[in-house]
Amino acid sequence: MYSFWALPGLILIAVIINLPLGYLRQNYEKFSFGWYFYVHISIPIIIYLRVKSGCSWKFIPLTLGSAVVGQILGGRINKRR
């Protein structure tokens, strides 16, 4: 069983981790090695944090969605500069 604050904290951490990765990803050609690297490097970290926090596998879509949101926001920040 996980605490009430574990899931919102995990979602927030996933977004925060992916903001700089999305920013860096924007500098690479789509589907290149660097692009794939920055898209996928946070996944093992998020999985580790989800397991350690005791969250069920049922919350994978939420953490994956928050990682995507972080990537998109980071990419938009890069485009504005």
Side-chain angles (χ1 to χ4, degrees), residues 49-66:
L49 292 173
R50 186 184 54 79
V51 169
K52 284 298 184 182
S53 68
C55 291
S56 171
W57 61 270
K58 296 176 184 177
F59 297 114
I60 291 174
L62 289 175
T63 57
L64 181 61
S66 61

Side-chain angles (χ1 to χ4, degrees), residues 17-62:
I17 288 173
N18 279 286
L19 276 172
L21 296 175
Y23 184 90
L24 294 171
R25 173 187 52 85
Q26 204 59 29
N27 296 326
Y28 289 90
E29 184 180 337
K30 197 170 188 177
F31 303 119
S32 67
F33 176 78
W35 187 89
Y36 274 113
F37 178 78
Y38 287 121
V39 167
H40 292 99
I41 193 64
S42 68
I43 300 301
I45 298 166
I46 294 169
I47 290 171
Y48 175 78
L49 292 173
R50 186 184 54 79
V51 169
K52 284 298 184 182
S53 68
C55 291
S56 171
W57 61 270
K58 296 176 184 177
F59 297 114
I60 291 174
L62 289 175

Side-chain angles (χ1 to χ4, degrees), residues 5-20 46 49 62-63 65-67 69-70 73:
W5 294 106
L7 185 60
L10 185 59
I11 289 171
L12 184 63
I13 288 172
V15 171
I16 290 171
I17 288 173
N18 279 286
L19 276 172
I46 294 169
L49 292 173
L62 289 175
T63 57
S66 61
V69 167
L73 290 175

